[in-house]
Amino acid sequence: MTQLTVRGVSPEVAHALRKRAVENGRSAEAEHREILRSVFVGKMEEFSAQAAKLRKRLQSDIDSSDLIRADRDRDSKK
């Protein structure tokens, strides 16, 4: 498992993290992992769903190489 070190955390933030950990019955380290998991796992699922919708919307039967070739041929005739 990867380790993560965060430097420069203000005393207020560190205190709030420790307080939140106690309130949730977790160690400070477990609380940090839960915060990161809740933020990033949900966002990745949301991002994946949005990306799938965009890919579906942008699907095309057009072969772009034909368009590029035609554009080059047009430019070479000038």
Side-chain angles (χ1 to χ4, degrees):
M1 190 170 280
T2 302
Q3 291 186 7
L4 177 66
T5 302
V6 180
R7 293 183 177 88
V9 176
S10 73
E12 296 83 15
V13 170
H15 176 74
L17 285 167
R18 285 191 298 273
K19 183 179 175 188
R20 180 176 166 156
V22 169
E23 289 170 354
N24 290 318
R26 291 190 269 260
S27 68
E29 187 175 330
E31 189 66 22
H32 303 164
R33 281 193 301 269
E34 177 57 26
I35 291 167
L36 292 169
R37 187 207 60 75
S38 69
V39 169
F40 290 109
V41 170
K43 296 294 182 191
M44 290 306 296
E45 290 169 359
E46 180 183 328
F47 174 80
S48 294
Q50 291 295 326
K53 285 181 186 177
L54 182 60
R55 279 192 299 274
K56 186 175 181 179
R57 192 174 60 126
L58 295 176
Q59 283 180 338
S60 173
D61 295 332
I62 297 172
D63 182 359
S64 62
S65 62
D66 290 338
L67 296 173
I68 293 168
R69 194 172 297 110
D71 195 39
R72 287 180 184 160
D73 289 346
R74 187 194 71 228
D75 289 345
S76 67
K77 293 177 183 177
K78 288 183 179 180

